[in-house]
Amino acid sequence: MRTTPLNGLAGMVPIRPDTGLPAFAVEGGGCVSLSRLTLTDFRGYRHLRLETDSRPVVVAGANGAGKTNLLEAISYLVPGRGLRGAPLSEVARQGGGPEWAVAASLATSDGPLEVGTGQTGDKRTVRINGETVRNQSTLAEYLSVHWLTPQMDRLFLEGPQARRRFLDRLVFSADPAHAGRVAGYEHAMRERLRLLRDGQGDGAWLSALEDTMAGKGVAVAAARLDMADRLGAFCARQAPGPFPRAALAVEGTVEGWLAAMPALEAEDRLRSALAARRSQDGQDGATGIGPHRSDLAVRHLGKDQAAGLCSTGEQKGLLLALVLANARLQAAERGSLPILLLDEVAAHLDSVRRQALFDELLDLKAQAWMTGTDAALFAPLGARAQFFTVEDAAVTAAH
């Protein structure tokens, strides 16, 4: 792997031969934090430039002031549609035109790194150290971000789609290539379904798409199973403070095959099943088999009870336990830490769990961005955190 000077720094940093970009951050880069965040025409922000350090960040303000928009902007620095799952066209500032941009300077143990993303025309663009990259999945190789929002409080009560997305974000932190496999599988699935609905697909083209779905789909399922196994084992051994221990499992047809046969045999079976379902899928307008139908099952080990049957407070505790445990697991396995986005996290925690959360974040040394309407809830952090106030999409440092 060749090396090159970076941003005038003394010494050399390794360069990835496939992208020509620096190979650090998620790949063993230790602590990664945002040192500068710049927004242009993003949600309510016409322009924002915010300087931070590696300490936890507390953003306080009234409802609707723009707190969650800041976290959403950071969530676009990794693959996907951000913490709200919004279409690109809904992210641009009203009255500001159709384009928007989010840029950040990252402080890493290997030196600074510039990343950015936004909408240009009808497409999302991604730049790393000034170079445009083809796929947004490349972001996962340089930065890991996890989030909890109030909308996720019902994660264990609603349909499996949100749980799959939650699990996939955990997988990204350990396996950045997972983002590309998920995107490739979903693209082939959409194309196959379009051809089946229109009645235009010849057998050879459909077979090629099904071959892609089989290969990438089994790889997606295997990566999810591996993450559930590793994180579940980690959570079963320990949980931070008063947060509950959890067990994880991935439930689905493909996952069941992988438990009983080699991956190549599972690929053959999925390929055959897709070919046999062409007529039915075309009539239904949906693909009836594959890892896009799998589900994440979580159990509260202390009560030996499915998460969906636990109290609201217990479910919140389980979510926090999983996110914190995953950060610990990532640090242990890869020597890197995710940035954590915790929206309105303190309001519904009792004082014991709130203090336990603060203690865990400080011990982790991960940069956590926390929002709330009442800054007093975060007062125990004192000078160990940095405080900002948001009012009408204007951010000021609190003193």
Side-chain angles (χ1 to χ4, degrees):
M1 182 176 286
R2 66 186 177 89
T3 61
T4 190
L6 177 63
N7 292 345
L9 295 176
M12 309 288 277
V13 297
I15 292 296
R16 290 171 51 90
D18 53 339
T19 65
L21 294 168
F24 48 61
V26 171
E27 297 184 352
C31 290
V32 178
S33 61
L34 269 67
S35 58
R36 184 176 65 247
L37 178 67
T38 305
L39 310 185
T40 304
D41 286 329
F42 185 90
R43 296 290 187 184
Y45 293 91
R46 181 177 180 275
H47 181 73
L48 172 73
R49 182 186 175 99
L50 184 63
E51 306 280 347
T52 59
D53 56 46
S54 61
R55 292 174 296 166
V57 180
V58 175
V59 181
N63 291 327
K67 304 185 302 296
T68 304
N69 291 344
L70 282 178
L71 303 193
E72 183 184 23
I74 298 170
S75 73
Y76 274 105
L77 297 175
V78 292
R81 295 172 60 180
L83 59 79
R84 284 191 172 106
L88 292 180
S89 58
E90 293 183 6
V91 177
R93 182 176 65 89
Q94 290 187 3
E99 298 184 353
W100 56 269
V102 176
S105 294
L106 303 180
T108 83
S109 58
D110 295 288
L113 179 71
E114 303 291 330
V115 298
T117 188
Q119 182 176 359
T120 303
D122 60 350
K123 295 182 179 180
R124 180 176 172 184
T125 56
V126 173
R127 293 175 69 82
I128 299 176
N129 268 8
E131 299 291 333
T132 300
V133 298
R134 291 180 55 190
N135 299 315
Q136 60 173 288
S137 60
T138 306
L139 288 168
E141 301 176 14
Y142 297 90
L143 181 64
S144 176
V145 179
H146 298 304
W147 55 83
L148 287 179
T149 69
Q151 290 72 29
M152 293 172 63
D153 288 348
R154 294 184 57 82
L155 186 75
F156 301 123
L157 300 177
E158 297 179 344
Q161 183 177 15
R163 290 189 290 275
R164 286 195 301 272
R165 288 199 300 265
F166 176 77
L167 177 58
D168 282 336
R169 288 198 301 274
L170 298 182
V171 177
F172 294 160
S173 65
D175 181 7
H178 183 69
R181 291 192 293 265
V182 171
Y185 173 83
E186 292 179 346
H187 176 78
M189 180 173 65
R190 288 192 300 270
E191 183 66 12
R192 171 182 176 271
L193 196 57
R194 182 185 67 81
L195 295 174
L196 292 175
R197 286 197 303 256
D198 295 345
Q200 298 177 353
D202 61 38
W205 181 231
L206 286 170
S207 293
L209 291 170
E210 289 161 358
D211 186 64
T212 297
M213 290 177 65
K216 294 187 181 299
V218 168
V220 166
R224 290 171 176 169
L225 282 170
D226 181 62
M227 170 54 70
D229 288 345
R230 291 180 7 259
L231 184 58
F234 193 87
C235 289
R237 292 194 305 270
Q238 61 181 25
F243 296 104
R245 294 182 303 117
L248 291 80
V250 186
E251 300 174 343
T253 301
V254 178
E255 289 77 12
W257 292 341
L258 284 170
M261 64 187 69
L264 288 177
E265 189 175 341
E267 286 185 28
D268 290 339
R269 183 168 292 194
L270 179 55
R271 191 179 296 108
S272 298
L274 288 167
R277 288 190 56 90
R278 288 176 185 174
S279 177
Q280 187 65 51
D281 288 350
Q283 293 176 19
D284 294 343
T287 305
I289 191 170
H292 63 288
R293 291 185 171 271
S294 302
D295 197 1
L296 171 66
V298 176
R299 293 189 70 81
H300 187 307
L301 284 178
K303 301 183 70 172
D304 191 24
Q305 184 168 278
L309 300 177
C310 293
S311 71
T312 301
E314 288 168 339
Q315 291 181 28
K316 184 83 169 186
L318 282 166
L319 278 172
L320 275 169
L322 290 176
V323 169
L324 295 172
N326 182 68
R328 289 280 187 190
L329 182 65
Q330 181 176 327
E333 292 184 345
R334 299 183 64 80
S336 64
L337 284 165
I339 291 174
L340 302 178
L341 310 178
L342 307 176
D343 194 18
E344 296 289 350
V345 69
H348 302 294
L349 295 177
D350 59 40
S351 59
V352 173
R353 283 189 173 175
R354 191 160 56 240
Q355 185 61 53
L357 172 63
F358 297 159
D359 291 344
E360 179 69 6
L361 293 175
L362 292 169
D363 190 54
L364 269 172
K365 295 181 174 59
Q367 190 186 53
W369 291 63
M370 295 174 280
T371 67
T373 55
D374 185 2
L377 293 176
F378 302 93
L381 286 166
R384 296 174 297 177
Q386 49 204 314
F387 290 77
F388 296 90
T389 300
V390 181
E391 185 175 356
D392 294 330
V395 182
T396 56
H399 299 288

